[in-house]
């Protein structure tokens, strides 16, 4: 029985020793991928903020053009 226990313990230790590098590699891969994902998320948030700002500016410009168009239409009606 003692040799069986020693064999089982030896097999368990071998398994754990082989498992440690896999776990370390998996953790490193997870850390690297999470950093990459955070970087992409930050870039997307910045891009979205930029697009929102552009949208606001374009809407203001459109409102100004509409106001000018209304003024021009009024002037043309007065001329007729």
């Amino acid at each position: 029985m003692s040799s069986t226990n020693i064999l089982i313990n030896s097999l368990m230790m071998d398994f754990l020793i082989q498992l440690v590098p896999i776990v370390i590699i998996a953790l490193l891969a997870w850390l690297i991928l999470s950093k990459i994902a955070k970087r992409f998320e930050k870039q997307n948030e910045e891009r979205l903020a930029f697009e929102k700002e552009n949208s606001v500016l374009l809407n203001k410009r459109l409102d100004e053009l509409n106001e000018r168009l209304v003024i021009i239409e009024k002037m043309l009606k007065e001329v007729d």
Side-chain angles (χ1 to χ4, degrees), residues 5-16:
N5 285 338
I6 292 172
L7 181 61
I8 291 172
N9 285 339
S10 175
L11 288 173
M12 290 274 237
M13 288 301 284
D14 285 346
F15 176 73
L16 289 175

Side-chain angles (χ1 to χ4, degrees), residues 5-56:
N5 285 338
I6 292 172
L7 181 61
I8 291 172
N9 285 339
S10 175
L11 288 173
M12 290 274 237
M13 288 301 284
D14 285 346
F15 176 73
L16 289 175
I17 288 171
Q18 290 177 357
L19 189 63
V20 168
I22 294 171
V23 170
I24 290 172
I25 291 170
L27 285 173
L28 287 174
W30 181 76
L31 287 172
I32 291 169
L33 291 175
S34 67
K35 285 189 179 227
I36 291 171
K38 285 179 183 179
R39 187 180 308 142
F40 280 129
E41 184 180 355
K42 183 179 177 184
Q43 288 175 351
N44 287 336
E45 288 174 358
E46 289 172 353
R47 198 173 297 130
L48 180 62
F50 179 73
E51 290 296 327
K52 284 181 181 179
E53 186 178 326
N54 278 344
S55 177
V56 168

